[in-house]
Amino acid sequence: MNSVLGGERPEIAGRAVFVAPDDGVVFDGGVGSDARPSAGDGIARELARLVDPSVPADAAERAIAVDQTNTSVIVDERLVVKVVGRWAAAERAAHLLERLADAGSTDVAGYAGRVDWRHPTRGTSTLAVVTEYLPGAQDGWDWAVDDVVALLADGAPEPDFPAILGATVARLHDVLGADAAPAPDDAAAARERRAAAALDAALEATARTGGPAAARLANRAASVHRDIRSLGATAPGLVFDLHGDLHVGQVLRSPGSPPRYTVIDFDGDPQLDASERGRTDGAARDVAHLLVSLDLVAAVAQKRLGRAEPAAFAWADRARSDLLDAYRATLVRSGLFDPALVPGLEAEQLAAELTYADRFLPRWRYAPDAAITHRHPSTDDHPEDPWTPPPSEPTSS
C-alpha cells in the first residue's frame, strides 16, 4: 500500500524532516551524514509501518547501503526501505516499480509500496520506497565475477547467466515499453551529440590524469568515434521509460535452485542531472549498457586472477552473443529494439565509464580501459604499453 505524509516538516520517529535550500532531504538534529536516517534510529521502521502495518513496532533495523542520493535500511529482515536524500530522487523508481508490480513481474524485488510527502509549497514527491528484502543476495560485481573466475581458473562450467540476463531484460522492456512512443525526428542527431560529448569528456579526463590509459584511448579514439558517428544514420525508433543505468551490478542473485535474478535501482543514470534521468530512450541503450558490463566483468576477473588473460575476453564475446540471442528471442515487442544503435551506445557507455572513474572512483579506470583496448583497434599514433590489470584488492572491484 502507499501512504502520504503532509506538511512542511512532518515528524517521523520523533524527528522532523524538511527540505534544505539545495533540495536535500534533512532530518532535524543531524549534521552531515547524521542528517540522514540510519539503522537503529527508527525512521525506516516507521516508514515501513506506514506501508505495511504488520511490521512490529519494535522491528529490528539493519544498515544495507548508502549511496550518493539515498539511504537503504533493512527492516524486520523482510523489507528494504530506501529513503531519499534529495527531493524527487525516487519518483522515477517508484513509478517504474509500480508498473512492474501491476504487471506481475518477478524480475524485480517485490514492491510493498511507497511513502509520499505532500509539501505545502513543493507539491508531492516520494520520500521512501519499500521493497522485498532478498536474504543472501549478491550483486553482479560479485557473483558474475566469481563465475567467470571459476571458469578461467578452475575449469568450471560455462556460466549460464548471460542468457538469463538477456531474457530478464526483454521481459522488463515488454512491460515498460507497452506505452512506447515514436522518438522525435532529431533523435539520431541528439544521440550522436550526446555520445560524442561523452568521448570528448573521457579524452579530456584521461589526458589530464595521464598514464597508460590516456595513450590507449588516444590511439583508439578514431575507432570509438566511428561507432559514435553511426548513431547519426539510425532511425529515431520507439522510446519509453528504461532502467537507464543497467549493468550487472544492478542485478541481484539470490541463493536457490535455481537461483533468482532480480533487477534493482531504477533511479536512472547517476551521471545525469536529476531532471534528465527520466528521459525516455530506445531499448538498445539498456542492452548496450549491459553488454558493456560483461566486458567490465572480464576485466575485473583478470584483476582477480592477477594477470592479463585473453580467455576472459573470449568468454565476454560468447557471453555477449548469448545475451543478445536470448534478449531477441524473448522480446515480444520486437519493434522496441534497434540493433543498429548498439555499437554507438556501447562506445558512449565505455567513454562514460572512464569519466565516472575520473569523477568518483579512480581505481575503476582499469576496467573500461581494458574493454576499450580490447574492442577497438589502435592507430599506434602514440607509444603505449599493453593493458595489464592492477593488483587485486580483496574489498574492491
Side-chain angles (χ1 to χ4, degrees):
M1 62 181 274
N2 297 329
S3 184
V4 180
L5 299 173
E8 189 172 355
R9 297 171 66 94
E11 190 172 289
I12 306 167
R15 293 174 65 183
V17 60
F18 63 95
V19 185
D22 65 353
D23 286 342
V25 173
V26 179
F27 285 81
D28 267 344
V31 178
S33 61
D34 291 334
R36 292 186 176 190
S38 59
D41 64 15
I43 292 171
R45 178 172 58 238
E46 184 164 323
L47 291 167
R49 283 170 54 80
L50 290 172
V51 168
D52 182 352
S54 72
V55 173
D58 60 350
E61 296 182 333
R62 182 160 60 87
I64 186 172
V66 178
D67 61 31
Q68 294 176 5
T69 305
N70 308 306
T71 302
S72 296
V73 176
I74 300 168
V75 175
D76 202 31
E77 292 299 314
R78 61 187 178 95
L79 297 173
V80 175
V81 180
K82 178 184 279 190
V83 187
V84 301
R86 301 188 66 78
W87 180 262
E91 303 297 290
R92 186 175 191 276
H95 171 65
L96 297 184
L97 288 172
E98 282 190 344
R99 288 180 59 188
L100 290 163
D102 289 344
S105 173
T106 59
D107 294 314
V108 294
Y111 176 74
R114 70 177 192 271
V115 178
D116 285 343
W117 180 358
R118 187 174 295 129
H119 193 281
T121 59
R122 288 175 169 266
T124 301
S125 180
T126 298
L127 175 63
V129 178
V130 184
T131 56
E132 168 193 16
Y133 170 54
L134 301 168
Q138 292 181 305
D139 76 50
W141 296 123
D142 289 322
W143 58 256
V145 174
D146 287 345
D147 284 3
V148 175
V149 169
L151 170 72
L152 299 177
D154 304 324
E158 184 86 2
D160 62 357
F161 70 79
I164 293 171
L165 295 187
T168 297
V169 175
R171 290 191 294 268
L172 294 179
H173 282 174
D174 275 327
V175 174
L176 299 178
D179 57 357
D185 291 341
D186 65 348
R191 289 184 182 120
E192 183 180 0
R193 286 194 301 271
R194 172 178 166 178
L199 177 57
D200 288 344
L203 286 165
E204 190 277 330
T206 54
R208 185 179 63 253
T209 56
R216 286 191 287 264
L217 179 61
N219 281 338
R220 290 161 180 79
S223 174
V224 176
H225 197 245
R226 276 195 297 273
D227 282 353
I228 287 172
R229 284 201 305 271
S230 73
L231 291 169
T234 58
L238 297 173
V239 294
F240 60 99
D241 290 322
L242 302 174
H243 181 283
D245 185 33
L246 192 59
H247 52 76
V248 295
Q250 306 286 33
V251 184
L252 300 182
R253 185 164 76 184
S254 303
S257 184
R260 178 183 174 189
Y261 293 81
T262 49
V263 179
I264 62 170
D265 194 358
F266 286 78
D267 296 320
D269 187 342
Q271 294 201 68
L272 298 177
D273 291 337
S275 61
E276 297 181 332
R277 291 179 193 171
R279 62 185 172 194
T280 58
D281 207 339
R285 185 171 295 279
D286 272 352
V287 174
H289 287 197
L290 194 54
L291 291 171
V292 164
S293 75
L294 295 178
D295 280 348
L296 302 180
V297 166
V300 179
Q302 291 173 84
K303 180 180 178 182
R304 290 260 201 98
L305 292 168
R307 64 180 186 272
E309 176 53 75
F313 278 115
W315 165 82
D317 292 343
R318 299 191 300 273
R320 289 158 57 91
S321 178
D322 290 347
L323 189 151
L324 271 175
D325 287 348
Y327 177 82
R328 300 184 76 165
T330 306
L331 188 69
V332 175
R333 304 178 191 275
S334 57
L336 297 175
F337 178 62
D338 181 358
L341 294 172
V342 171
L345 296 178
E346 282 194 78
E348 177 188 345
Q349 182 60 17
L350 285 169
E353 290 282 351
L354 282 172
T355 305
Y356 173 85
D358 179 68
R359 293 176 60 191
F360 302 115
L361 197 65
R363 69 176 185 268
W364 179 243
R365 186 179 296 113
Y366 79 92
D369 176 23
I372 291 169
T373 300
H374 173 68
R375 293 288 166 201
H376 292 275
S378 173
T379 59
D380 296 322
D381 290 338
H382 306 275
E384 67 170 60
D385 296 325
W387 178 88
T388 56
S392 184
E393 304 164 28
T395 59
S396 99
S397 296

